[in-house]
Amino acid sequence: MPGRDPVKTALVGIIRNEADDLLPWMGWHARLGVDTFVLFDDGSTDGTMDLLQAAAALHDVRIYRLPWSDGPVDGRQQHAYQTALHLLQGQCDWVGFLDSDEYLDLHRHSNLQAFLGDFSEEVGGVAISWCLQGSNQLVLRPVQPAFHAFTRHSRPEEPINRHVKSFVRPDCWDGGWINPHIFPLKKGHYVTPGQQQVNWERPGIQQALPDWGTARVRHYQVRSLEQFTERARRRANLQLRLPDFLAGDRNELEDRRPCAALGPVQAWMREVIFQGAAEALLPLPVAEPEAWQPPAPQLPFSLTRIVAWNGHGVGVQQDGLVQLLADTPVETKPETPGSAAAQALPQLYGLRMEFAPEHVFLLACTPQGLLNDFTFLEDRRLNGVLPYRVRPGNQQNSVALQQLQPQHFLSAPPGEALVADRLQVQLWENFTLDATPRFKEGNAWQSLPFIRFLQEGLRLPPTLAGLGALMRKDRHLALRLLPVFHARLSPEEQSALQEMLGPFRPYFFTDSPEAVKQPFR
């Protein structure tokens, strides 16, 4: 409606030891338009607070610590939710309440502002139905975020889906408490996302089947068997058993629409990760100016273009995933429309370092030679320069590319995103390293900005102090190229660097500090 003030929204949650899942959850809801996160930490010890503080440096994230208690979580949840509603009165138009295993879907609106802006002033609360997600028959924790890994869910008629979670107007709340699902209102009433009156079977559970047409809350109650086991260990008071997993593991239907959000969510995560990593590495010592060495007469590294098993290049799509380019093989290069479109995409390249001859550092470059974000399925790292081992392929002049840990091979299946989950080398796991990368405007790869920065970095001693000097010079490029500089360190300093990164480490490295035995050089 023209002239209407924008709707201000907040999302409230309680978290405890959610370092593995927190950033995707926040990124998902930031993408939907959440203006303010109000998060209550319930005694985390796994680096969750470091992640929150990094996010708070870039976004409106308000962090509170709940008073320590070993009692039931219900009391702490009531305290947190009521505190948030008091704080947000007069600041936000709508406040939502979700756990970190709950993701909001909007099916008819592009964002929360449009969705919540459709409700009249007579509506004080919106009751959004659960959609119980299954495990996709996964035993181990997946690498990808929950919204991408667990695509299967229950049928609407599953009784648990009549549970709801709420968005409420804080000025309509009467100050009381019912349960974490709904709140008592002093004015207005609850409706469904489709604007229908809610009839309650009991508070928080509606009589009717869920209304998923406009919005729903995907509830990842069990996730993988490994994650369910972790939850059972963490919440011993619930006495969860295998029948509880089987009862909640509903996989009857599949919906892959949430997978399309991977790129935007990871872009949000990447900003937070770089912010947090930069803060974590502030204590690094800094090498003195006299530590710089003269430039090497020849570059001790080379840049190669990654070519797939069928002779095609490999490009980064709009969602950040990497796929075979739909062009002709690199040897022929005819002038065709398909080839031109493919060549406009960022493509995959590899740095070959003299001090790490058995490895290639994969990166993506635009046609102008600028570094570009990308991700492989089943590879959690998001910094944009990923070391892989170079192994023999099973085709002539080909190689296979293997993760450091777990030791899975990168695969380029036709029509699908590259995935790093193959246990052995077959056809799609073969690549060649093209020694003649090409960039627009006649740019030689040796003159690209990140190459010049890398050359400068190699003039410094291979120590943490040398890395500290690079962070002072350009922290963004230093973090991009961190795996390269990490490879030059001694085993002791490699371990120290990874420990400094804390909860940000898995987004840069696949091997743990304990796994570091020998430096590459």
Side-chain angles (χ1 to χ4, degrees):
M1 182 181 298
R4 185 169 61 183
D5 291 335
V7 175
K8 292 277 291 181
T9 65
L11 185 61
V12 179
I14 298 177
I15 51 177
R16 182 178 185 181
N17 289 339
E18 297 287 353
D20 287 333
D21 302 304
L22 177 64
L23 292 187
W25 180 81
M26 293 182 70
W28 176 274
H29 292 102
R31 164 185 161 273
L32 291 184
V34 168
D35 297 298
T36 301
F37 289 91
V38 180
L39 300 176
F40 293 82
D41 183 75
D42 195 18
S44 294
T45 58
D46 67 344
T48 289
M49 285 298 295
D50 294 327
L51 297 174
L52 286 176
Q53 288 164 358
L58 301 172
H59 307 280
D60 186 4
V61 180
R62 307 177 191 183
I63 309 165
Y64 300 90
R65 289 185 183 270
L66 288 173
W68 185 88
S69 171
D70 59 357
V73 70
D74 295 353
R76 300 196 298 282
Q77 200 165 36
Q78 177 181 349
H79 168 75
Y81 285 5
Q82 290 182 308
T83 298
L85 280 168
H86 280 298
L87 291 171
L88 293 169
Q89 285 181 339
Q91 297 185 31
C92 291
D93 301 295
W94 289 91
V95 180
F97 298 85
L98 296 176
D99 295 333
S100 60
D101 61 356
E102 296 173 326
Y103 283 66
L104 176 66
D105 277 338
L106 300 178
H107 294 145
R108 293 177 178 163
H109 300 83
S110 60
N111 55 48
L112 274 168
Q113 286 71 23
F115 169 58
L116 295 170
D118 273 354
F119 295 101
S120 69
E121 293 295 329
E122 288 73 34
V123 174
V126 183
I128 307 175
S129 299
W130 267 352
C131 174
L132 182 65
Q133 303 290 129
S135 71
N136 275 50
Q137 299 184 337
L138 294 178
V139 173
L140 301 179
R141 173 189 288 273
V143 173
Q144 301 305 123
F147 68 84
H148 195 278
F150 303 112
T151 58
R152 304 198 69 87
H153 63 82
S154 57
R155 298 183 186 279
E157 56 267 24
E158 188 68 32
I160 196 172
N161 290 328
R162 292 188 288 114
H163 286 73
V164 303
K165 297 305 285 282
S166 289
F167 272 77
V168 299
R169 297 185 193 268
D171 294 336
C172 292
W173 173 56
D174 75 359
W177 177 255
I178 299 177
N179 60 42
H181 297 267
I182 62 168
F183 297 82
L185 304 176
K186 63 185 178 184
K187 59 181 179 179
H189 57 275
Y190 264 93
V191 298
T192 70
Q195 308 261 8
Q196 299 299 309
Q197 185 78 28
V198 180
N199 295 310
W200 301 109
E201 178 178 298
R202 58 181 186 269
I205 303 176
Q206 59 185 343
Q207 293 179 1
L209 289 176
D211 172 13
W212 289 347
T214 302
R216 65 180 179 180
V217 172
R218 280 177 284 115
H219 186 200
Y220 298 95
Q221 187 178 59
V222 297
R223 292 179 277 191
S224 68
L225 184 57
E226 178 183 4
Q227 289 164 291
F228 180 84
T229 304
E230 291 172 356
R231 178 170 173 246
R233 186 178 294 114
R234 190 169 61 243
R235 299 285 301 278
N237 61 304
L238 297 180
Q239 295 185 325
L240 296 172
R241 303 180 186 278
L242 185 59
D244 299 304
F245 176 83
L246 297 175
D249 185 22
R250 309 315 297 261
N251 298 282
E252 292 87 353
L253 304 176
E254 184 166 35
D255 185 354
R256 299 191 61 83
R257 286 176 295 176
C259 297
L262 184 65
V265 171
Q266 288 189 331
W268 187 94
M269 293 171 59
R270 196 174 280 111
E271 288 186 357
V272 174
I273 291 159
F274 272 57
Q275 171 67 30
E279 292 290 329
L281 297 184
L282 278 177
L284 281 173
V286 178
E288 297 297 330
E290 56 267 22
W292 292 76
Q293 301 297 316
Q298 291 186 332
L299 291 180
F301 56 87
S302 61
L303 186 69
T304 64
R305 183 178 182 229
I306 306 300
V307 179
W309 52 274
N310 59 355
H312 291 196
V314 185
V316 181
Q317 309 300 309
Q318 286 189 343
D319 59 4
L321 294 174
V322 183
Q323 284 188 263
L324 292 172
L325 292 176
D327 62 355
T328 51
V330 294
E331 293 82 2
T332 56
K333 296 290 178 190
E335 296 298 326
T336 65
S339 178
Q343 291 177 37
L345 293 173
Q347 296 194 31
L348 199 64
Y349 292 86
L351 277 172
R352 302 300 306 274
M353 313 299 298
E354 287 184 0
F355 58 80
E358 295 183 356
H359 295 77
V360 60
F361 295 83
L362 300 178
L363 52 89
C365 282
T366 67
Q368 293 75 30
L370 301 176
L371 288 176
N372 198 88
D373 296 325
F374 74 98
T375 187
F376 297 138
L377 295 180
E378 300 304 318
D379 189 330
R380 189 179 182 185
R381 296 170 292 178
L382 293 179
N383 67 298
V385 177
L386 312 183
Y388 272 69
R389 285 192 182 92
V390 179
R391 299 297 195 197
N394 60 15
Q395 292 186 316
Q396 187 175 6
N397 299 322
S398 71
V399 299
L401 304 176
Q402 185 183 43
Q403 281 201 72
L404 307 186
Q405 185 66 35
Q407 296 180 3
H408 294 163
F409 291 98
L410 188 64
S411 181
E416 299 179 20
L418 267 67
V419 57
D421 69 345
R422 299 304 196 257
L423 299 178
Q424 57 186 349
V425 178
Q426 299 186 37
L427 175 62
W428 298 339
E429 291 70 55
N430 288 276
F431 298 87
T432 56
L433 307 180
D434 180 5
T436 56
R438 290 168 289 273
F439 297 99
K440 285 186 176 179
E441 301 170 0
N443 288 338
W445 68 266
Q446 295 88 343
S447 66
L448 300 178
F450 78 91
I451 293 292
R452 292 200 301 268
F453 183 81
L454 178 58
Q455 187 178 14
E456 286 288 292
L458 296 179
R459 293 174 54 200
L460 282 162
T463 62
L464 290 177
L467 178 59
L470 288 172
M471 289 289 293
R472 293 286 183 90
K473 186 176 180 66
D474 187 328
R475 76 177 193 178
H476 187 79
L477 269 180
L479 289 172
R480 285 273 199 184
L481 294 164
L482 191 60
V484 178
F485 299 125
H486 168 272
R488 303 177 68 221
L489 301 175
S490 69
E492 294 76 19
E493 289 201 322
Q494 286 182 345
S495 181
L497 174 62
Q498 293 197 31
E499 289 176 0
M500 288 181 72
L501 287 170
F504 304 99
R505 182 194 63 77
Y507 298 106
F508 290 86
F509 302 105
T510 59
D511 51 337
S512 66
E514 295 78 11
V516 176
K517 302 298 183 184
Q518 296 292 332
F520 289 144
R521 59 186 177 86

